[in-house]
Amino acid sequence: MTDQVAKYPPRRTFNRELRILVHEIGHVLIARLRDAVVTSVSIVPDATSEGRLTGAWPFRAFARGDVNARNIRARLQPLMPGEGVDHTPAANVHLEIVEQVTEFMGGRAAEKLVLRGRPSPALDDFRQARELAQIICRSPKSVERLLKFCEQRAEDLLRPHIDLIFGLIPELRSRREMSGAEVDEVIAAILTRFALANEKARRREWAQRVESAAIFAAQIKE
C-alpha cells in the first residue's frame, strides 16, 4: 500500500487518480477508434493539467502536431461557406470537426460509463470543443447541442469497450506516460488476451454440451 500511495503526485488521492486514468483512456480509445494518430498519453501533472493526450491534427495547415483549437478556429472559420451557400466543398471539414469534438468529449464519456459521481469539469476539453464547434455552428445553442451530441456519441462508441478501459488502467497507471506505439501494443495485447479467454470459454461450453448430450443419449438407451 505504501508503494502505491508513493506513486500518486502530491494532493492526488487514489480516487482522483483513477478518474484521471479513465478520462485520458477515454480520449485515447476514441482517437484510436476513429484511426486518429496518438503521439502520447500522460497522467503526469503539469502547470495546466493533470493528464493529457497529444496527437496530430488532420488539417493540413496544422499537420505539425498538437495545436490549440483556438488557432484552428481562427484559420478556418473565415473560410467556411456562409448561410445559403453550398456547403459540399466543406463537408470534410464538418466531418472532421464532429470527429475531433467527439474525441474531446471522450474523457467525460468514459467517466460516466465506468465511475460513480459527476465527471470531471474538463474545462480545457470543453473550451477546445467549443472553439471547433463554432467553426460550423451559427449560434451558442447549436454549439451546446453539438457538444451534447458528440458526448453521447463518444459514450455510445466506448460502451462496447468498457473491459478494454479497465484493461488499460493498470498499464497507464504503472507507466505514467505512454507513446502512441506503446498504447497500440498494449491494446493489441489486451485484445489478444480477451480473445483467448473467449475461446477457452467457448470450448468449455462446447465440452459441456457434448457431455450433456452423451448423458442424455445414455439415459434414453436405459
Side-chain angles (χ1 to χ4, degrees):
M1 180 64 74
T2 302
D3 291 341
Q4 290 180 341
V5 173
K7 288 185 177 182
Y8 306 151
R11 297 186 299 278
R12 183 184 287 181
T13 64
F14 172 84
N15 287 340
R16 180 59 186 163
E17 174 137 307
L18 178 60
R19 190 165 291 278
I20 293 165
L21 283 163
V22 170
H23 188 96
E24 297 306 323
I25 289 169
H27 288 313
V28 167
L29 291 185
I30 292 294
R32 296 311 291 132
L33 284 168
R34 72 187 193 91
D35 202 29
V37 174
V38 170
T39 304
S40 66
V41 59
S42 172
I43 59 165
V44 178
D46 60 18
T48 59
S49 66
E50 293 192 270
R52 71 207 60 83
L53 174 75
T54 60
W57 291 91
F59 299 113
R60 186 174 300 176
F62 300 96
R64 67 179 181 273
D66 191 47
V67 177
N68 196 291
R70 182 181 294 114
N71 300 330
I72 293 180
R73 178 189 171 194
R75 177 73 68 88
L76 292 182
Q77 193 172 35
L79 304 178
M80 295 299 290
E83 295 181 7
V85 178
D86 182 14
H87 279 57
T88 302
N92 62 325
V93 176
H94 279 253
L95 177 60
E96 184 52 46
I97 285 172
V98 170
E99 294 292 323
Q100 184 63 59
V101 172
T102 299
E103 185 178 318
F104 277 129
M105 307 309 290
R108 279 177 55 87
E111 290 184 51
K112 288 167 66 178
L113 282 172
V114 305
L115 299 176
R116 295 181 178 179
R118 292 185 176 182
S120 305
L123 298 180
D124 193 60
D125 288 345
F126 271 112
R127 181 189 64 77
Q128 298 217 61
R130 285 192 177 94
E131 293 281 359
L132 292 182
Q134 288 177 70
I135 296 173
I136 61 175
C137 296
R138 297 296 178 182
S139 70
K141 182 178 288 187
S142 62
V143 168
E144 295 306 314
R145 286 180 175 176
L146 178 60
L147 296 188
K148 288 182 179 179
F149 164 76
C150 289
E151 184 173 345
Q152 184 59 57
R153 182 166 179 260
E155 192 173 334
D156 293 343
L157 288 169
L158 291 173
R159 185 171 284 105
H161 304 288
I162 290 176
D163 288 347
L164 185 54
I165 294 175
F166 283 110
L168 283 165
I169 286 173
E171 293 289 342
L172 182 54
R173 180 175 178 272
S174 173
R175 304 188 193 202
R176 318 304 289 175
E177 295 180 291
M178 297 172 67
S179 68
E182 289 172 334
V183 167
D184 285 348
E185 289 174 3
V186 170
I187 289 175
I190 292 172
L191 292 178
T192 299
R193 190 166 70 242
F194 288 170
L196 288 173
N198 290 336
E199 178 61 19
K200 288 180 180 179
R202 187 191 67 80
R203 292 185 180 186
R204 284 195 301 269
E205 182 182 357
W206 179 253
Q208 289 171 356
R209 289 184 179 183
V210 171
E211 182 180 355
S212 297
I215 292 172
F216 179 71
Q219 290 174 344
I220 290 177
K221 290 180 180 180
E222 293 176 0

